[in-house]
Amino acid sequence: MMKTWLMTVSVAAVLTSGSLQAAEALKPGDPKAGETKASTICVACHGPQGNSIVPIWPKLAGQHPAYIQKQLMDFKAGNRANVQMTPMAMPLTDQEVLDLAAYFSAQTQKGGAANPELAKLGEAIYRAGNPATGVPACSGCHGPAGLGQGLSKFPRISGQHADYIKQTLGYFQKQERANDPNGMMRGVTARMTEQEIAAVSQYLQGLSQYGIPDDRRSHEAASRLPFFSPSR
């Protein structure tokens, strides 16, 4: 029995040692190594320097590294599924994930332009939400300029393709994507109409074009909504 116990302890020690060595082997993301990897497996869909040309594939340039890392690890773990991305992410090592995240986050995003009419409603929803239906303001998590919050893993969404945002919000709404912390995005999109989703998507695509409006402009944008009340 003592022999069996010693063998068990020895095996556990070896496994623990191996895990620690693996963790210690990880280094901070190397943008140069990430660039090399991106140029071979990412550029076809996500474009040069992470600025995709096809609007259903997201721009990765300027995205928070922690968010990129989480999404790639979710693809690898099966927590997020996509017919294109899952097989691309599965072979990546943890170090390659860090390298890619470091590379894309260091790139400069090329902004887009929005449909002006849809963007009016989109701005109001983004900044004030829809109190009548319980839709919260998007800016509460993603910030007034749509730049997100890296530590909280809230992604940058300003300048992103409208088609991609609309598609992603639709996935959350239909429960086809479920890797959002505490179901936050599924809860938000469940209360949104198709028009609101389309409008917010257009507004975000051109957010870098419009810049950050001051409080007065934000108030005016929200006042265009039928449910808006200055006293709220």
Side-chain angles (χ1 to χ4, degrees):
M1 186 172 178
M2 178 62 71
K3 184 177 180 181
T4 302
W5 181 82
L6 288 173
M7 289 180 64
T8 302
V9 171
S10 297
V11 170
V14 169
L15 291 175
T16 301
S17 175
S19 299
L20 290 173
Q21 287 177 357
E24 291 173 358
L26 285 177
K27 302 175 182 177
D30 179 355
K32 201 65 180 175
E35 180 179 16
T36 300
K37 194 69 177 179
S39 66
T40 59
I41 66 170
C42 307
V43 67
C45 294
H46 294 289
Q49 291 82 50
N51 283 289
S52 69
I53 300 172
V54 180
I56 62 169
W57 292 330
K59 299 174 185 177
L60 301 180
Q63 187 57 268
H64 297 290
Y67 182 77
I68 295 175
Q69 181 186 0
K70 179 187 186 302
Q71 298 311 307
L72 288 175
M73 296 305 289
D74 280 353
F75 281 125
K76 284 170 62 66
N79 296 326
R80 181 179 175 185
N82 180 275
V83 292
Q84 286 96 15
M85 276 304 304
T86 299
M88 300 301 289
M90 287 295 288
L92 295 174
T93 66
D94 291 355
Q95 185 62 58
E96 288 173 333
V97 167
L98 292 175
D99 293 343
L100 286 169
Y103 167 68
F104 283 121
S105 66
Q107 305 310 301
T108 301
Q109 187 208 77
K110 295 180 180 178
N115 176 309
E117 291 305 311
L118 275 177
K120 291 179 182 179
L121 172 61
E123 180 178 8
I125 294 293
Y126 185 83
R127 302 196 178 283
N130 185 338
T133 58
V135 176
C138 312
S139 59
C141 292
H142 295 283
L147 297 179
Q149 301 178 43
L151 293 178
S152 301
K153 297 184 176 65
F154 294 144
R156 170 184 177 164
I157 50 179
S158 67
Q160 187 57 268
H161 292 302
D163 286 354
Y164 174 73
I165 296 175
K166 182 179 178 181
Q167 173 182 263
T168 300
L169 293 178
Y171 287 155
F172 281 126
Q173 190 178 59
K174 297 172 185 175
Q175 305 288 314
E176 294 176 7
R177 178 175 168 181
N179 70 327
D180 50 325
N182 302 315
M184 292 174 63
M185 286 306 303
R186 283 169 285 170
V188 170
T189 54
R191 300 172 181 272
M192 296 181 74
T193 66
E194 290 186 11
Q195 182 187 24
E196 288 173 336
I197 287 177
V200 168
S201 300
Q202 277 294 324
Y203 173 66
L204 288 170
Q205 179 172 269
L207 184 53
S208 57
Q209 164 193 343
Y210 294 123
I212 307 173
D214 57 26
D215 291 340
R216 178 182 57 80
R217 183 179 163 191
S218 298
H219 188 278
E220 290 174 353
S223 69
R224 290 193 288 266
L225 291 174
F227 55 74
F228 177 77
S229 170
S231 61
R232 290 188 186 277

